[in-house]
Amino acid sequence: MGLKTCVICNEKKESGIVILQSFICSNCESEIVNTSTDDVQYQVYIEKLRCLTEIKQEIIL
């Protein structure tokens, strides 16, 4: 797979998932899944994931 840049932490990692052409590393994926919606960090993840919506719009157009 090679190194890809995570859309959440901006670090180059080898393992993770790709959603709508955006890479999320395994560490960030785990953090997102395990973060409570009451946690301040949860909102940070939501904001960073908004880029997926923008990418989806580009794919549709």
Side-chain angles (χ1 to χ4, degrees):
M1 179 174 161
L3 295 177
K4 293 188 177 203
T5 303
C6 176
V7 296
I8 305 297
C9 67
N10 294 316
E11 293 183 20
K12 292 191 180 289
K13 303 280 180 93
E14 192 168 289
S15 64
I17 60 173
V18 176
I19 302 174
L20 294 173
Q21 302 174 348
S22 295
F23 177 74
I24 300 173
C25 73
S26 297
N27 293 343
C28 288
E29 177 189 2
S30 179
E31 287 293 320
I32 291 167
V33 169
N34 293 307
T35 300
S36 168
T37 57
D38 298 334
D39 192 316
V40 175
Q41 187 64 30
Y42 184 80
Q43 190 60 38
V44 174
Y45 293 138
I46 295 299
E47 290 301 318
K48 291 191 176 231
L49 289 170
R50 289 196 194 282
C51 73
L52 297 179
T53 303
E54 294 167 11
I55 291 169
K56 180 181 176 185
Q57 292 301 323
E58 291 174 13
I59 291 171
I60 292 172
L61 298 176

